[in-house]
Amino acid sequence: MSASFRLSTRALSIALSTAIGLAPMASFAQQAQPRQAPRPAQPAQPAQPPAGQAATGPTVVQVKPEPSQTTWTKVCGKDETANKEICYTTRDFVSDQGQPVLAVAVYDVKGDPNKIVRFLMPLGLLLQPGIRFGVDTAQPTAGRYAICFPNGCFAEAQVKDDFINAMKKGNTLSVSVQNQGAREVSFAIPLTDFAKGFDGAAIDPKVLEEQQKQLQDELAKRQEELRQRLGGGGANAAPGAAPGAAPAPGAAPATPPKP
């Protein structure tokens, strides 16, 4: 199956009947083709150890849910081609300063034992060896990057019910990557209310559309305030990533392999 994995709000403008496998996940971009995009935010470098002192362990980046998205959002629809219902449960995450960092989406095709976990990751990270992710202290699962666009890279992996159950019961989903300096960076993602979102009812399309508009307005306001404070300069939008363009207005579709 294929569909647009669009990086603008969780809009239900997706045509679930024709393209559903990779539905909208993140709300980092406000417009598909902005006329005048603000200067991209500059990711922060992880703290460097003092001269002569070796780094010990990965740099851990704590992220928090996007404030305007009060819980995990579940969206469902029917793929008419495959005649199957497909749902995705998603949430966006930001830094302590409220800047977009990454997003997570779990795709569930009715009747398929495999699930897909997809991440929107910031730029400036090594594509090889990919990502590793796991719940709490469990053995991590390997994932690969599918494709990159100017506002982020998509990474994914197939998982089964045992992993989804671990997410439901766990506290933290850790995603480990390497930055351009080949240093490990681990993003700590809270799993609060994931079970409620995954097992709960899908959101009403009209409510989703209203959330989209509110989130667009809030992100645009926040971005403008930050730009004014910094005099038009960059911001530390993606801790742990090497310098480069962080998620910015403008989105593009991705077509990954079928699950």
Side-chain angles (χ1 to χ4, degrees):
M1 86 188 86
S2 65
S4 62
F5 187 16
R6 190 179 167 194
L7 303 184
S8 73
T9 62
R10 297 166 301 281
L12 201 64
S13 58
I14 57 172
L16 284 171
S17 61
T18 58
I20 200 166
L22 196 57
M25 182 183 81
S27 55
F28 296 160
Q30 289 89 51
Q31 300 174 9
Q33 295 294 332
R35 290 185 292 272
Q36 291 292 333
R39 183 176 177 179
Q42 298 297 317
Q45 290 276 22
Q48 299 292 331
Q53 178 180 335
T56 58
T59 298
V60 178
V61 179
Q62 300 285 344
V63 298
K64 61 183 182 180
E66 158 61 46
S68 60
Q69 186 185 9
T70 57
T71 187
W72 291 81
T73 301
K74 181 177 181 179
V75 180
C76 293
K78 189 174 183 180
D79 183 347
E80 298 294 346
T81 303
N83 194 29
K84 290 184 177 180
E85 183 182 45
I86 302 176
C87 296
Y88 67 94
T89 306
T90 181
R91 198 163 198 181
D92 307 334
F93 296 90
V94 300
S95 68
D96 287 339
Q97 291 75 38
Q99 294 302 302
V101 177
L102 56 80
V104 182
V106 179
Y107 290 80
D108 182 14
V109 181
K110 188 174 183 179
D112 192 334
N114 294 319
K115 310 293 188 289
I116 293 181
V117 179
R118 288 191 173 108
F119 301 91
L120 167 64
M121 302 300 296
L123 298 177
L125 302 172
L126 294 182
L127 300 184
Q128 294 293 340
I131 68 171
R132 292 183 301 114
F133 61 96
V135 178
D136 296 334
T137 59
Q139 185 71 20
T141 298
R144 64 180 180 82
Y145 283 100
I147 193 167
C148 290
F149 290 101
N151 46 5
C153 293
F154 310 146
E156 63 183 41
Q158 284 191 351
V159 298
K160 295 189 179 297
D161 286 338
D162 57 348
F163 187 85
I164 302 301
N165 291 333
M167 288 183 66
K168 292 178 183 179
K169 299 175 183 178
N171 296 314
T172 304
L173 175 64
S174 297
V175 183
S176 296
V177 295
Q178 289 187 12
N179 66 13
Q180 288 182 353
R183 290 190 58 194
E184 185 176 1
V185 178
S186 181
F187 294 93
I189 303 168
L191 289 172
T192 306
D193 292 334
F194 172 76
K196 181 179 178 181
F198 188 88
D199 292 333
I203 191 171
D204 181 90
K206 292 182 180 179
V207 175
L208 186 65
E209 186 175 358
E210 181 60 27
Q211 285 186 0
Q212 169 193 356
K213 184 179 184 303
Q214 292 177 357
L215 191 54
Q216 280 183 330
D217 294 343
E218 179 63 24
L219 287 175
K221 179 181 177 182
R222 233 183 284 164
Q223 188 175 46
E224 178 61 24
E225 290 175 350
L226 181 64
R227 190 162 61 98
Q228 290 179 0
R229 287 202 306 269
L230 298 178
N236 296 336
T255 306
K258 295 180 180 180

